[in-house]
Amino acid sequence: MSRMKKAVVVLGTFAVALLMHRLLSFAPLYRELHRALPFYVAESMKNVLEVGVCVVALLLLGERRIAGALALDRGALRGLAFGLACTAPMLIGFALTRRSDVRDPLAVAYLAFFAPFIEETVSRGFAFRTLRRLGWPMWTAAAACALLTGVAHIEKGQTAMSILGLFVVTGVVGLMFCWLADRWQSLGFPLALHALMNFWWEVFNVAPTALGGWLAFALQIASILLAVAVTLYFRRGQNRAGAARMARDRDADAEGNLLPRHHLAVGYLMGRL
């Protein structure tokens, strides 16, 4: 399969994952779960399917190390420390201006940790990193992923301005998370930043969407700028190392080092038994 066809598979799979809610809304069971149970029950089922289609796509593309391909196999503890340090402006700012109001701990856990894990795995781990391995420039791959992610979030807006605001905010944040994943060569860093930003947002009950007023916006920007500054300081020169690693992955693919798809599927299933 040519790189162009592989890119089409990646972007098509990514679009299916982003549209999973709309697709599942045709299923009576999914609608009933949303009606009868807390929202995070049906949403968790949707999230598992989102990751599932991405894993299937990676297997079809000849990937053998799923965790490595998604960059989930390294940098977890360092990423957590990074996230705690960089989201300090949000914690301090909200603690000084708001009261904590957690009414449903499971909802907070879902919105702050499980949902960001799924989004980072699908958007940055699968779509962005796979496009990078296919030879796409960093900002081109990031822009493609951020554009689709921004479009997927605008349905939460109620007015034209809120829709535009959500598109811009989620798109810009998506670009930055892609850059972080590329610089650190680990999903742990954007994931921790994303999760902890969501966590402080939910703990202090800021707003139902990513738009929460000028103060909340300023605190979000402060956390993101701090993350950029920390990354530039600690990862000076690492963009070349990351590019070299991506080049080695492309060379290995071009030389046919990956198993044929039917061999891969058999090997994967045997390894799970």
Side-chain angles (χ1 to χ4, degrees):
M1 185 186 298
S2 67
R3 290 182 183 175
M4 179 62 70
K5 291 181 179 179
K6 289 181 178 180
V8 171
V9 170
V10 171
L11 292 175
T13 303
F14 186 38
V16 169
L18 292 175
L19 293 172
M20 190 64 70
H21 174 75
R22 293 180 180 273
L23 296 175
L24 288 177
S25 64
F26 293 103
L29 175 61
Y30 184 71
R31 296 197 301 270
E32 180 62 22
L33 287 175
H34 260 293
R35 187 191 66 81
L37 297 174
F39 74 94
Y40 46 78
V41 176
E43 290 298 298
S44 296
M45 181 181 73
K46 177 201 73 173
N47 294 149
V48 170
L49 291 175
E50 289 172 349
V51 173
V53 297
C54 294
V55 170
V56 169
L58 286 174
L59 291 172
L60 292 175
L61 291 173
E63 186 58 63
R64 291 175 290 182
R65 296 175 56 253
I66 301 301
L70 298 173
L72 289 170
D73 59 344
R74 53 191 178 271
L77 292 179
R78 290 189 303 145
L80 178 59
F82 171 83
L84 287 169
C86 294
T87 58
M90 293 182 67
L91 169 60
I92 296 171
F94 291 149
L96 292 175
T97 58
R98 293 177 174 271
R99 295 178 57 186
S100 176
D101 185 19
V102 177
R103 300 178 181 179
D104 188 346
L106 287 179
V108 172
Y110 171 81
L111 292 170
F113 299 109
F114 189 70
F117 171 78
I118 297 299
E119 183 173 342
E120 292 304 315
T121 299
V122 171
S123 298
R124 261 63 71 179
F126 168 70
F128 172 71
R129 282 182 52 81
T130 307
L131 291 176
R132 290 285 283 135
R133 288 196 299 276
L134 291 175
W136 284 41
M138 196 282 292
W139 288 115
T140 303
C145 296
L147 177 63
L148 290 175
T149 301
V151 170
H153 280 79
I154 62 176
E155 64 180 10
K156 298 178 182 178
Q158 302 298 319
T159 65
M161 287 302 297
S162 65
I163 289 174
L164 178 61
L166 283 170
F167 177 78
V168 172
V169 169
T170 56
V172 171
V173 171
L175 279 173
M176 194 53 55
F177 286 166
C178 287
W179 180 78
L180 290 174
D182 198 74
R183 273 302 180 99
W184 290 98
Q185 287 298 301
S186 168
L187 204 64
F189 292 82
L191 172 56
L193 183 67
H194 189 169
L196 288 166
M197 288 178 70
N198 278 22
F199 182 65
W200 305 131
W201 194 272
E202 295 299 328
V203 164
F204 292 100
N205 196 23
V206 178
T209 70
L211 301 178
W214 287 108
L215 176 61
F217 179 75
L219 293 174
Q220 285 179 307
I221 295 299
S223 292
I224 292 173
L225 291 178
L226 183 56
V228 171
V230 170
T231 300
L232 289 174
Y233 180 80
F234 285 102
R235 302 298 288 181
R236 286 171 293 183
Q238 294 301 314
N239 56 335
R240 295 182 179 179
R245 177 179 291 183
M246 291 294 180
R248 289 196 297 270
D249 290 341
R250 293 195 302 270
D251 291 342
D253 190 13
E255 292 170 4
N257 290 339
L258 298 180
L259 292 174
R261 284 181 300 186
H262 61 284
H263 290 174
L264 171 64
V266 173
Y268 178 77
L269 293 174
M270 291 298 292
R272 299 295 294 175
L273 297 177

